[in-house]
Amino acid sequence: MSRRLLVICAWVGTVLLAACGTVPSSSGPASSPSTEKSLILATTTSTQDSGLLDELLPAFTRDSGWQVKTLAVGSGQAIELGRRGEVDVLLVHSPAAEAKFVAEGSAGSRRLVMHNDFVLIGPRADPAKIRGTKSVEAMKKIAAARAAFISRGDESGTHAKEKDLWSKAAVTPGGSWYQSTGQGMGETLRVASEKAAYTLSDRATYLTQRGTLALEVLSEGDLGLLNVYHVIEMTKNAGDRVQPDGAKAFADWIVAPPAQRLIGAFGRAKFGQPLFTPDAGADEAKLGQ
């Protein structure tokens, strides 16, 4: 394993050791170690837990010849990996943190890729009575009822959205009713289900796992729950190990029409609706309208 991957594995912990060594299969002939084009993508757990990466990455490798090693972490961790020059490209969903990061100067192009939305989910009994309410009002009701709420607590894009909703609700969550997993979306959903608690999830991960969960969507649909993803290319300004050509290859590919069609079709056959809406070239200010 290269020194670059050893650094990454040490930083993200043993949970991600398998991811650091995972390379999606290619339909073409295997490349020798000296000629293989390999890039590192830092992305969110939602793109992995939903199954979207399983759809996209083999197609990218087939079309471009680039192999992809994936680190699926929270958006905050992904951005930190980019800041340290330990990955080549990011696919993340924490717009405020992304904008701040790009302004620092180590990243290159940041482009709109897709969106879906967040949903507030909880037990069917709905002890806080949030069913059908707007997101901010729902957060107020959960806090007032001291109903169990499970947070990711991992500085991910989902966690950033949750904190934004608490802030808009003028609530500082804490106490025994509020718990953090420090884990990704899939694990947080499992814990919330076991504890009959509320949580905030991206819709795609919830839909792919709802068959194993005793949880329902209780608050959805307002613009405050929009979940927007961007691809960010890293540059040599972040460090000499960055591969800008690989970053640009991936970013150009994911916003091009063939990949956007794959994104738009993903989930439709199984769930009756796409799990993500492709947005390349769209006016971001008008998303969700």
Side-chain angles (χ1 to χ4, degrees):
M1 182 178 287
S2 69
R3 179 178 178 274
R4 188 181 189 207
L5 288 180
L6 285 171
V7 170
I8 294 170
C9 289
W11 189 83
V12 298
T14 57
V15 173
L16 294 173
L17 285 174
C20 290
T22 299
V23 182
S25 61
S26 170
S27 58
S31 301
S32 68
S34 61
T35 61
E36 179 186 89
K37 296 192 300 181
S38 179
L39 65 88
I40 302 175
L41 166 70
T43 187
T44 71
T45 62
S46 58
T47 60
Q48 176 171 275
D49 291 346
S50 67
L52 180 63
L53 292 184
D54 295 333
E55 184 80 12
L56 295 183
L57 296 188
F60 170 66
T61 297
R62 183 178 61 248
D63 291 347
S64 70
W66 283 91
Q67 301 284 344
V68 182
K69 297 178 174 69
T70 304
L71 292 174
V73 293
S75 287
Q77 290 175 303
I79 288 170
E80 182 60 26
L81 286 168
R83 183 176 284 119
R84 292 165 57 143
E86 293 172 358
V87 298
D88 302 304
V89 64
L90 313 179
L91 180 60
V92 286
H93 65 139
S94 190
E98 295 165 28
K100 180 180 178 181
F101 171 55
V102 171
E104 294 172 5
S106 61
S109 174
R110 171 178 178 257
R111 286 182 271 179
L112 178 63
V113 176
M114 61 191 182
H115 78 272
N116 62 5
D117 63 344
F118 293 106
V119 289
L120 275 165
I121 61 177
R124 181 187 297 270
D126 188 19
K129 308 302 180 190
I130 71 166
R131 192 185 301 274
T133 62
K134 296 294 186 181
S135 56
V136 172
E137 182 61 25
M139 300 303 260
K140 291 179 181 178
K141 287 188 170 188
I142 290 169
R146 298 183 64 81
F149 187 97
I150 307 299
S151 170
R152 283 181 58 167
D154 63 351
E155 300 306 320
S156 61
T158 305
H159 186 210
K161 173 58 68 173
E162 179 211 318
K163 290 190 291 184
D164 177 61
L165 292 175
W166 288 125
S167 177
K168 289 176 178 175
V171 170
T172 302
S176 60
W177 62 274
Y178 183 79
Q179 302 174 38
S180 297
T181 65
Q183 301 292 320
M185 197 68 255
E187 178 64 13
T188 299
L189 285 168
R190 184 188 67 78
V191 173
S193 183
E194 290 178 352
K195 294 180 176 290
Y198 296 94
T199 194
L200 181 72
S201 174
D202 67 284
R203 188 183 294 272
T205 306
Y206 169 72
L207 286 175
T208 58
Q209 300 195 20
R210 66 180 174 183
T212 66
L213 304 172
L215 299 170
E216 298 181 353
V217 174
L218 299 173
S219 177
E220 62 181 324
D222 62 78
L223 287 177
L225 293 176
L226 199 65
N227 183 25
V228 182
Y229 292 76
H230 297 88
V231 63
I232 302 175
E233 300 171 41
M234 295 309 304
T235 73
K236 291 288 188 182
N237 289 338
D240 290 339
R241 293 171 294 180
V242 172
Q243 301 181 92
D245 51 346
K248 187 175 189 305
F250 180 81
D252 286 348
W253 182 86
I254 202 168
V255 300
Q260 291 282 289
R261 287 193 292 270
L262 286 176
I263 291 169
F266 178 68
R268 187 183 297 275
K270 185 172 182 180
F271 301 104
Q273 60 179 295
L275 299 192
F276 298 88
T277 299
D279 291 320
D283 181 350
E284 190 164 340
K286 296 181 179 179
L287 296 184
Q289 298 180 10

